[in-house]
Amino acid sequence: MEKQNMICVSCPLGCDLEVEIRGEEIEVKGYRCKRGETYARNEILDPRRMVTSNVRVSNGDCPLVSVKTIAPLPKGLMGELIEALKQIRLEPPVQIGQVIIRNFQNTGIDIVATRAVGLDSSDQKHEPEHELKKVSEG
Amino acid sequence: MKEIRVDVLVIGAGAAGMAASIESASRGCHTVLLEREDCSGGVLNQCIHNGFGLHVFKEELTGPEYADRFRRQMDEKGVQVRTVQFVVSIDPSKKAVITMSQEGAVVFHPKRVIMTTGARERAFGSLMIPGTRPSGIFTAGVAQRFVNLQNRLPGKKIFLLGSGDIGLIMARRLALEGADVLGVAELMPFPGGLARNIAQCLNDFDIPLHLSTSVVEVHGKDRLEAITIARFDPKTRTAIDGSHKKIEVDTLILSVGLIPQNELIDSFVQIHPTTKGVVVDSMMRTSHPWIFAAGNNVAIYDLVDFVTLDGKTAGQNASRFEETFPSDTLPIVLGKSVGVSIPNKIVKQGDPFILYLRSKKVIEKGIVEIGPGLIRRTRIGIKPSEMIDIPFTQKDLERLRESNLDRVYIDIQEGS
């Protein structure tokens, strides 16, 4: 029998989990919701992590667009994903939810944009968002 | 000079300000949200990691996604967002807010002001660490802005001081970007950030966490060349002889705490002497009836969801002009185990609210006692890094009104 202590990373509560492995059987204690039990099982059998990073954008109003995996990625593929993201150059506009990589390494997991990037319009970038209508002159 | 009359003026377009302005505008108030940066969202824009929204949206979002949801609601409800505009001063006697923008000075005359100015990071200068003053020392938020918004890597060989959440998240971010993250030092005997961030940001990347350890000297002429760390006695908080170790690094990143930002109002609004946050009641009113407040300028929260909820409360109550406000409040008095409470006062005739507490120490199993005799809640695994949230329901308020308490005492007792 093997015992392992781990912290559930499913949400910011971070439950302290105690996992007992008896051959095929895995017993989990200390979780406050079902996700904790699932997390502990996966952590033994197939550890996965959500990955967030950035991809470069040429001529955008921001040089980067933030991206995420739509589901936790096998931990071993994290480094490979970061490398793949470094090779990409996007052109604006980029929309939130836009697929940047489809089905990464046949995992069925897409990488999507988490922010919008528009065209660089630096000449008028610092104009206030509101219209310049004067309400009253003081 | 331009003068503008508005119903509600919200200062700072981070999570609290966006939530407050949406609530105010959706109650039909002409609401203006001021932001000194060129877009709304505050620190959420650079927090590209996930973990936001579990309470508010029941799903896990990244910072930019969380901000985007509120931006859409602001458009829908007709919040007027004015960016690249900052507040110079606030005049409580004339009820005027003097601002500067690209069109020059603009004076607002709001019926109500909501302060959602957030916090700033504690800087290197305040740590009094001996040594030279080279480049290469950044606060975690600045490093995060460089990496996530400006595509700049602050350095190659990096050490972090302080184990706050932004620091832990930056350790992972920098490791993923190919920097050599040599370690994290924490002066306290326990980590400052969430347990899950120790697991997924440090343990996953084999980044060592040195507890009861701090940086005692920095070295380098123009650029940082090395730091000296030492172990600290947790009781005396002095460095232990012979535990000094020099580490070659080119970058030191600080995650050593946030300070509520209240310079605009601290001369006429009650500020908490130890937390430096604005003192608020359970309706998010400050000591000045014209001014409401929510977010990290009230106290440092650990979840943006809680900031959003308190921002909403501030927005809802700030837009109640016609009603006479209940004035009877009871002060909250903290026992020796509790460091922070939000709010600081309870409005006896007010609405139900969520009480947030921060424990001063790690307690395996503890009972939160409110009243005394009003609410008792058992909580497991109490940590200073994780706020305790306790709903204060209508029933609890009724019992408070029936009691003859003249203050509400809160403490955490060990045991069950």
Side-chain angles (χ1 to χ4, degrees):
Chain A
M1 190 182 81
E2 195 194 326
K3 260 194 186 181
Q4 261 190 50
N5 290 311
M6 56 178 78
I7 296 157
C8 178
V9 303
S10 303
C11 88
L13 283 175
C15 294
D16 290 307
L17 306 177
E18 206 182 284
V19 189
E20 276 185 29
I21 308 155
R22 287 182 229 93
E24 298 274 287
E25 223 176 287
I26 298 169
E27 197 194 339
V28 189
K29 286 180 196 162
Y31 55 88
R32 277 177 270 192
C33 79
K34 257 194 191 155
R35 297 206 296 164
E37 196 185 7
T38 315
Y39 171 79
R41 274 176 211 290
N42 289 343
E43 201 59 10
I44 303 292
L45 303 169
D46 174 24
R48 287 170 179 249
R49 291 289 183 271
M50 287 291 294
V51 182
T52 58
S53 190
N54 284 306
V55 168
R56 281 207 233 173
V57 181
S58 317
N59 312 311
D61 58 8
C62 181
L64 295 168
V65 61
S66 50
V67 299
K68 69 172 183 185
T69 54
I70 54 157
L73 187 78
K75 235 170 130 177
L77 289 174
M78 251 159 81
E80 216 173 299
L81 174 61
I82 296 293
E83 275 316 305
L85 293 174
K86 278 187 183 158
Q87 307 308 319
I88 301 173
R89 297 285 181 282
L90 294 171
E91 287 289 333
V94 183
Q95 306 298 332
I96 287 196
Q98 185 177 321
V99 177
I100 308 299
I101 300 177
R102 195 173 291 284
N103 187 16
F104 179 68
Q105 296 289 35
N106 289 319
T107 52
I109 295 166
D110 294 343
I111 294 34
V112 300
T114 57
R115 66 177 290 167
V117 176
L119 266 164
D120 182 20
S121 49
S122 29
D123 43 327
Q124 33 167 300
K125 199 178 162 193
H126 286 291
E127 284 297 310
E129 281 176 22
H130 63 282
E131 46 181 319
L132 292 163
K133 198 172 73 184
K134 298 204 169 158
V135 177
S136 71
E137 215 55 63
Chain B
M1 192 166 59
K2 194 164 146 181
E3 307 219 14
I4 301 175
R5 284 183 196 286
V6 296
D7 290 332
V8 175
L9 182 69
V10 186
I11 301 172
M18 293 194 294
S21 63
I22 290 162
E23 290 299 317
S24 160
S26 60
R27 278 162 180 71
C29 293
H30 177 210
T31 307
V32 171
L33 175 58
L34 293 181
E35 172 54 49
R36 64 183 174 193
E37 296 271 335
D38 58 14
C39 74
S40 56
V43 81
L44 286 164
N45 294 330
Q46 64 186 58
C47 295
I48 65 160
H49 54 280
N50 66 327
F52 305 97
L54 278 164
H55 291 258
V56 173
F57 297 114
K58 309 290 173 217
E59 59 180 306
E60 205 164 355
L61 302 170
T62 64
E65 291 171 309
Y66 189 88
D68 183 67
R69 299 235 173 154
F70 288 92
R71 244 176 245 132
R72 283 167 200 272
Q73 286 184 46
M74 291 198 294
D75 283 350
E76 213 174 281
K77 304 291 180 194
V79 175
Q80 195 185 356
V81 185
R82 295 172 67 113
T83 57
V84 201
Q85 183 156 6
F86 71 93
V87 176
V88 180
S89 65
I90 299 178
D91 184 342
S93 60
K94 295 196 182 101
K95 292 197 174 175
V97 176
I98 297 103
T99 73
M100 196 54 83
S101 73
Q102 291 195 322
E103 42 177 329
V106 180
V107 179
F108 288 91
H109 298 281
K111 287 186 195 161
R112 292 267 165 73
V113 175
I114 306 177
M115 298 299 292
T116 50
T117 44
R120 65 172 88 236
E121 294 178 281
R122 239 180 109 196
F124 182 63
S126 71
L127 300 180
M128 312 290 268
I129 295 174
T132 51
R133 290 295 177 263
S135 71
I137 302 173
F138 306 92
T139 57
V142 168
Q144 189 178 44
R145 197 185 166 96
F146 281 155
V147 176
N148 289 344
L149 293 178
Q150 297 175 356
N151 200 24
R152 299 272 181 272
L153 199 61
K156 296 258 164 65
K157 288 177 84 173
I158 300 174
F159 196 87
L160 289 98
L161 175 58
S163 58
D165 284 310
I166 314 175
L168 299 176
I169 279 159
M170 278 316 292
R172 170 178 65 182
R173 188 80 203 102
L174 292 162
L176 277 172
E177 287 298 332
D180 201 359
V181 183
L182 299 167
V184 179
E186 168 61 53
L187 178 61
M188 302 304 282
F190 47 81
L194 298 172
R196 79 159 185 168
N197 285 334
I198 303 291
Q200 64 183 358
C201 298
L202 300 188
N203 300 352
D204 273 6
F205 296 89
D206 298 318
I207 299 167
L209 172 64
H210 309 272
L211 295 173
S212 300
T213 301
S214 191
V215 174
V216 292
E217 194 173 348
V218 294
H219 315 267
K221 192 167 164 274
D222 299 320
R223 178 76 191 193
L224 185 68
E225 287 160 17
I227 55 167
T228 302
I229 62 168
R231 272 189 294 116
F232 275 65
D233 185 320
K235 289 216 172 69
T236 61
R237 286 208 199 165
T238 50
I240 297 167
D241 283 345
S243 69
H244 294 65
K245 200 171 132 193
K246 197 167 174 179
I247 304 171
E248 274 182 36
V249 295
D250 60 23
T251 305
L252 176 64
I253 289 175
L254 308 170
S255 174
V256 289
L258 299 170
I259 303 164
Q261 197 164 237
N262 289 311
E263 296 85 352
L264 289 168
I265 55 168
D266 61 6
S267 60
F268 59 92
V269 164
Q270 195 188 348
I271 302 291
H272 195 281
T274 51
T275 67
K276 308 291 175 204
V278 193
V279 171
V280 292
D281 66 23
S282 53
M283 295 172 80
M284 304 312 283
R285 295 181 296 185
T286 70
S287 63
H288 195 292
W290 181 49
I291 296 183
F292 289 65
N296 278 351
N297 45 318
V298 169
I300 307 304
Y301 289 67
D302 41 37
L303 296 185
V304 74
D305 294 67
F306 295 163
V307 168
T308 295
L309 295 174
D310 278 354
K312 276 181 154 183
T313 304
Q316 284 159 9
N317 289 318
S319 50
R320 289 161 67 170
F321 303 117
E322 314 311 329
E323 306 163 49
T324 38
F325 264 119
S327 56
D328 202 5
T329 61
L330 293 182
I332 290 174
V333 179
L334 301 180
K336 65 176 193 316
S337 303
V338 189
V340 180
S341 84
I342 314 164
N344 312 87
K345 297 174 198 169
I346 299 175
V347 183
K348 265 178 114 170
Q349 306 297 330
D351 303 321
F353 62 96
I354 301 170
L355 175 72
Y356 300 104
L357 304 171
R358 196 179 288 287
S359 171
K360 275 189 185 168
K361 52 185 181 182
V362 177
I363 301 172
E364 282 290 326
K365 191 175 182 186
I367 299 169
V368 183
E369 168 91 43
I370 303 171
L374 219 54
I375 300 176
R376 272 169 75 90
R377 292 273 183 285
T378 305
R379 291 291 169 101
I380 297 158
I382 295 170
K383 297 165 192 162
S385 58
E386 292 171 29
M387 283 198 322
I388 302 166
D389 56 314
I390 294 177
F392 214 99
T393 63
Q394 194 61 49
K395 269 205 177 119
D396 298 325
L397 280 166
E398 274 163 28
R399 285 197 293 140
L400 179 66
R401 290 194 280 265
E402 284 160 15
S403 76
N404 45 18
L405 294 172
D406 57 357
R407 49 176 213 162
V408 177
Y409 182 80
I410 302 175
D411 206 2
I412 308 167
Q413 304 295 338
E414 278 181 69
S416 49

